[in-house]
Amino acid sequence: MSATDLRNEVSAWLAAEWDPARPTKEWLAAVVEAGWAAPRWPREWFGRGLSDELGHVVEEEFRNVGAPGTGQDRHNLYAATVLTFGGDELKRRLIGPMLRDEVSMCLLYSEPDAGSDLAAVRTRADRDGDRWIVNGQKVWTSSAATADYGMLVARTNWDVPKHRGITFFLFPMKQAGVEVRPLHQITDEAHFNEVFLTDAAVPDAHRLGDVDRGWGVLQTALAYERSVMGDRARAGRGTTGMAEMGDELVALARETGRIDDPVVRQDLARVAALRLGNGWNNQRAKAEVEQGSSSSVMSLGKLAMSRLLHESARVRTSLAGARAMLEGPDEPVGDEANFLAFNAYFTSIGGGTDQIQRTIIGERILGLPKEPEVDRDLPFSEVRRG
Amino acid sequence: MPAFAVTPEQQDLRASVRRFLADRSPEAEVRRLSDTEQGFDPDVWKRMAGQLGLQGLGIPEEFGGAGAGHVELGIVLEEMGRALLCAPFLSTVGLAANLLLTSGDRAAQARYLPGIAEGGTVATVAVSAAGLPGAGVVARRTDDGWRLTGTEPYVLDGHVADLVLVPARTTAGVALFAVEREASGLGRTLLTTADRTRRQARLTFTDTPGAPLDGGLPAVERMLDLAAIALASEQAGGAARALEMSVGYAKTRVQFGRAIGSFQAVKHLCADLLLESESATSAARYAASAADEDAPDLPALASLVRFSCSDSFVKVAADTIQIHGGIGFTWEHPAHLYLRRARTSALLLGDPAFHRERYLRRTGV
């Protein structure tokens, strides 16, 4: 199929079907039914078997009219993971509802003793006939209280090195034995939860990939997640996007009477350069990838964003001055400075700390040798913890 | 052409310049030329023009050039920065040829640009290190034409320039003058530069005859913006090369039975330097394509890349010394050549603090 034919087909379909007033559920069902939700997937699995390039044509046409629902072969990490690793029965039962946004999902990866070292998970899954019994604790799970399923990594073999004894499950959350407790963050918000699992059950049919081979499944799922997360760093409360870090700092400097302070002005220019530089890096990475070369700039994005967020929060704090000693609705300038200073850690810790990020950049991009790993070949049961 | 898209011709240009410089400007040549009075190799300068057409790359075809854009010039300067080429290229092309072009003075263009393009003319602009045109020289009209008097203390390649373009103060504001090699009352004192790969001279003018050019202050300011972008490209190239040296050394230097690059203290530093170096490259390339498109925010962009690429190059080159440890502290190792280039190029045409302030002013803050 040529790109032009496809473009015509999609735009004709959208012209006939798309109506911004249409209820979301009904709209998504129509998109899935037509095969546009995940156009790169095979026809038997809700797709159209299109190449990546043609998939972008579909996405473009949807974007042009502002219609949601397509591109899920790139963005829906849950459906994509189930499609890649699930059994046929599970795929038939769940992928449709996932694409139609009828099931709510969460991630059960991190644990108190398995943060940066995710392969050190201690939540255990023990086989019990055609199901597994799960015990342990997960943390940093958003949407845990409302989720229907969680993507779970659990230890199924303690006598082999850590990467080789993990299994990946699509875990049903709505059952006894699952207790969700909100996690109180340094920003005084609670976007995440702790999840306690006590003799909870997951059918073997919900296993994604082979027993003890869950680490590989996780890598695929994480790759999907990273590609989604790229540009999702949050700005301030009630503000959106990058403008916050440029123009709003200038506005604040004016408001606080500091706009003529040469020290402040130097800071404002520095932040502007970081902000614009990140945008140019992203544009360049995109251009390099589109031209078919690999781009080392891409993997720098998260580190760069974290640097920008911390730096702009520092400048904001210096502009707020003594007011940054206060918080709350009566002192919005101080409140925002504190919120941004604390929330910057969301980016420099979440999804791989800056330190882990630097290690990845050093090893995968620059080709520097790996650090010796003392636990690499030890049976997990003998690995030191603490 | 969207920013960052690279044509096959641009890839070829980069490859051929890199090959040429690997051949003609290896470290041994850089060091040899650093110790000569002239500071560059006239034969290499000729070949740069004859074989590759580098001096004329951005000069219009009617004046003997190739009529290419600032993106192409940026590619060439990145490569020259990598190689620490000893040649009066920034002065002749980045400053003087750009000023002749921005002046709009067709007679001066026809008189000087062909010589620059063919590699016969070395040219420079007598502009202060602070990037403030007309700071040092006053011009007055006499019955016998214009006469220039004053001093410019830091003139790139002023000791060898066949043509010196001088922004000078007149009763009607800053005006441009061309001073040729043998002009009377032109004094040149070669300075001992911290970066011996790039020469500077103090030029004194004592009733020196100068031929007036069109253009005035706006032409100089436009040229300074374009030169800032050219210099940023050179800095980005230098930073990329210094980082390569650091990473290469971190992979091969063994201490405590391990390559030092396996230690996080070194590995993480290298990752940070990659962010610096790539950000400098992105910024310089973006600004070059904005120059080709004559973007309205070019003055602001020029100031931004002046400070951000300067800061990035200094950081990368400084940490390159640190990563190399003892060997990096020796004269024989090339790491210090990059730090010298980085530290001094940060101070040309206005230092980073000056350009941070100017960036804000130019964005209306």
Side-chain angles (χ1 to χ4, degrees):
Chain A
M1 169 178 269
S2 82
T4 315
D5 290 348
L6 177 65
R7 201 174 286 283
N8 292 337
E9 185 185 346
V10 180
S11 86
W13 186 85
L14 285 167
E17 299 283 336
W18 171 238
D19 173 2
R22 217 167 149 180
T24 309
K25 277 210 152 136
E26 189 194 311
W27 169 249
L28 285 175
V31 176
V32 173
E33 174 69 29
W36 301 131
R40 298 169 186 81
W41 289 355
R43 284 182 178 273
E44 54 171 325
W45 296 114
F46 307 92
R48 291 218 164 204
L50 298 182
S51 65
D52 182 50
E53 201 179 327
L54 289 178
H56 283 288
V57 171
V58 178
E59 290 181 33
E60 234 173 80
E61 289 302 311
F62 270 64
R63 238 191 338 266
N64 285 343
V65 299
T70 190
Q72 295 199 50
D73 37 19
R74 293 197 303 129
H75 299 138
N76 191 324
L77 85 110
Y78 304 108
T81 309
V82 171
L83 179 81
T84 311
F85 296 102
D88 280 359
E89 188 271 332
L90 188 72
K91 294 199 292 204
R92 253 189 299 280
R93 188 153 51 82
L94 279 179
I95 289 181
M98 284 174 156
L99 295 177
R100 292 192 295 271
D101 200 22
E102 290 166 3
V103 280
S104 166
M105 300 287 307
C106 67
L107 298 175
L108 301 168
Y109 295 165
S110 298
E111 298 179 8
D113 282 347
S116 295
D117 182 13
L118 197 50
V121 289
R122 296 183 165 271
T123 291
R124 59 186 306 141
D126 296 289
R127 201 189 258 281
D128 176 32
D130 61 357
R131 62 179 199 157
W132 298 77
I133 303 299
V134 183
N135 283 283
Q137 182 191 346
K138 294 290 176 179
V139 74
W140 302 117
T141 302
S142 49
S143 311
T146 52
D148 299 302
Y149 297 96
M151 299 222 288
L152 168 74
V153 286
R155 185 149 315 272
T156 44
N157 190 340
W158 300 71
D159 302 322
V160 291
K162 61 180 181 179
H163 295 98
R164 288 183 248 154
I166 293 169
T167 304
F168 200 106
F169 298 97
L170 192 70
F171 175 86
M173 291 291 286
K174 303 265 165 72
Q175 60 170 309
V178 176
E179 188 197 345
V180 175
R181 289 186 208 156
L183 196 68
H184 196 172
Q185 296 164 216
I186 58 175
T187 53
D188 202 9
E189 300 168 301
H191 293 300
F192 302 96
N193 301 279
E194 295 178 290
V195 179
F196 296 87
L197 303 167
T198 311
D199 291 333
V202 55
D204 188 53
H206 280 230
R207 176 164 46 78
L208 300 183
D210 293 337
V211 174
D212 293 348
R213 292 288 177 268
W215 184 250
V217 182
L218 179 66
Q219 294 315 302
T220 306
L222 287 177
Y224 280 122
E225 190 180 344
R226 280 192 204 107
S227 76
V228 180
M229 257 187 90
D231 47 10
R232 223 172 49 182
R234 283 190 317 156
R237 272 180 199 141
T239 61
T240 50
M242 302 289 290
E244 199 286 323
M245 289 163 280
D247 299 345
E248 285 203 11
L249 278 184
V250 171
L252 182 60
R254 288 209 166 98
E255 215 177 289
T256 52
R258 304 278 301 283
I259 194 66
D260 295 323
D261 179 335
V263 175
V264 167
R265 294 177 67 81
Q266 293 282 309
D267 277 342
L268 291 174
R270 272 194 200 93
V271 171
L274 291 178
R275 178 173 59 88
L276 290 167
N278 289 1
W280 295 330
N281 280 340
N282 291 340
Q283 282 179 39
R284 186 172 142 225
K286 197 162 167 272
E288 288 178 351
V289 169
E290 274 167 12
Q291 290 200 306
S293 59
S294 68
S295 177
S296 65
V297 193
M298 186 79 90
S299 51
L300 295 170
K302 186 167 175 294
L303 197 56
M305 179 56 81
S306 142
R307 182 170 77 163
L308 170 61
L309 292 171
H310 280 286
E311 179 64 9
S312 60
R314 184 188 69 74
V315 175
R316 182 172 279 271
T317 303
S318 95
L319 287 173
R323 297 159 80 177
M325 293 191 290
L326 306 180
E327 277 189 340
D330 293 341
E331 179 39 79
V333 169
D335 188 83
E336 187 76 348
N338 282 305
F339 173 75
L340 289 170
F342 286 106
N343 201 52
Y345 292 95
F346 174 80
T347 298
S348 61
I349 293 175
T353 63
D354 282 0
Q355 286 65 38
I356 291 293
Q357 219 50 39
R358 289 187 178 99
T359 296
I360 291 172
I361 291 164
E363 292 172 4
R364 298 199 194 149
I365 310 293
L366 298 175
L368 293 168
K370 285 175 87 73
E371 190 110 8
E373 293 169 85
V374 292
D375 58 352
R376 177 141 204 108
D377 299 315
L378 278 185
F380 186 70
S381 52
E382 293 171 24
V383 171
R384 178 180 163 191
R385 63 185 294 199
Chain B
M1 192 75 186
F4 304 120
V6 182
T7 66
E9 293 74 22
Q10 290 168 347
Q11 285 171 346
D12 289 348
L13 174 65
R14 183 182 297 281
S16 61
V17 175
R18 188 170 294 192
R19 263 197 314 275
F20 178 86
L21 294 174
D23 191 31
R24 297 285 167 175
S25 178
E27 186 191 333
E29 269 304 286
V30 170
R31 287 181 181 272
R32 185 182 71 77
L33 291 166
S34 294
D35 286 335
T36 65
E37 181 151 339
Q38 200 169 22
F40 74 106
D41 182 339
D43 179 52
V44 171
W45 182 250
K46 275 276 181 199
R47 284 170 194 268
M48 282 165 56
Q51 285 178 19
L52 298 173
L54 299 185
Q55 288 90 322
L57 197 62
I59 291 176
E61 288 172 28
E62 60 177 311
F63 301 122
H70 294 281
V71 169
E72 283 76 17
L73 194 57
I75 289 169
V76 170
L77 277 153
E78 279 185 32
E79 293 304 316
M80 291 177 174
R82 288 177 63 90
L84 290 180
L85 172 71
C86 297
F89 192 85
L90 184 67
S91 51
T92 301
V93 174
L95 298 178
N98 270 332
L99 184 54
L100 287 165
L101 289 170
T102 60
S103 76
D105 188 325
R106 289 190 59 84
Q109 290 169 356
R111 182 177 170 90
Y112 297 120
L113 287 175
I116 289 176
E118 69 177 32
T121 303
V122 170
T124 191
V125 177
V127 67
S128 79
L132 299 171
V137 182
V138 173
R140 72 196 154 79
R141 195 198 285 273
T142 69
D143 294 342
D144 198 18
W146 289 88
R147 292 286 182 275
L148 310 184
T149 299
T151 302
E152 278 296 352
Y154 306 101
V155 179
L156 284 179
D157 302 305
H159 64 306
V160 289
D162 305 300
L163 168 68
V164 183
L165 300 176
V166 188
R169 292 194 309 280
T170 71
T171 50
V174 171
L176 287 180
F177 299 89
V179 173
E180 296 188 14
R181 174 175 269 287
E182 304 302 336
S184 63
L186 172 61
R188 310 164 183 253
T189 309
L190 179 60
L191 304 172
T192 305
T193 43
D195 170 15
R196 300 188 189 191
T197 66
R198 177 139 59 210
R199 296 310 171 86
Q200 299 186 32
R202 181 169 62 245
L203 298 192
T204 53
F205 302 85
T206 313
D207 281 330
T208 306
L213 265 58
D214 296 342
L217 190 58
V220 185
E221 292 195 324
R222 178 75 178 174
M223 174 279 285
L224 286 171
D225 290 343
L226 297 174
I229 293 166
L231 182 53
S233 302
E234 188 199 272
Q235 291 171 315
R241 179 66 197 123
L243 174 63
E244 280 175 18
M245 285 167 42
S246 288
V247 171
Y249 188 70
K251 284 179 186 173
T252 50
R253 167 73 172 171
V254 173
Q255 289 287 273
F256 304 100
R258 295 158 56 177
I260 60 167
S262 70
F263 291 104
Q264 290 188 351
V266 174
K267 183 180 291 173
H268 290 190
L269 189 50
C270 288
D272 285 335
L273 298 189
L274 181 67
L275 178 55
E276 292 292 343
S277 162
E278 294 290 4
S279 298
T281 299
S282 299
R285 290 184 188 173
Y286 181 86
S289 76
D292 280 338
E293 283 167 20
D294 202 10
D297 59 345
L298 194 72
L301 273 174
S303 273
L304 186 140
V305 297
R306 267 307 289 130
F307 75 78
S308 66
C309 295
S310 291
D311 290 346
S312 289
F313 188 19
V314 169
K315 160 100 176 126
V316 174
D319 285 342
T320 291
I321 303 272
Q322 188 66 27
I323 287 169
H324 280 79
I327 194 81
F329 193 64
T330 66
W331 188 263
E332 286 71 26
H333 195 278
H336 74 107
L337 303 181
Y338 285 86
L339 184 56
R340 288 168 182 276
R341 174 64 75 82
R343 284 168 51 84
T344 53
S345 68
L347 303 174
L348 288 172
L349 313 176
D351 70 12
F354 169 86
H355 280 288
R356 277 191 282 273
E357 173 61 34
R358 189 141 83 164
Y359 168 76
L360 286 195
R361 288 180 188 272
R362 286 174 161 186
T363 49
V365 176

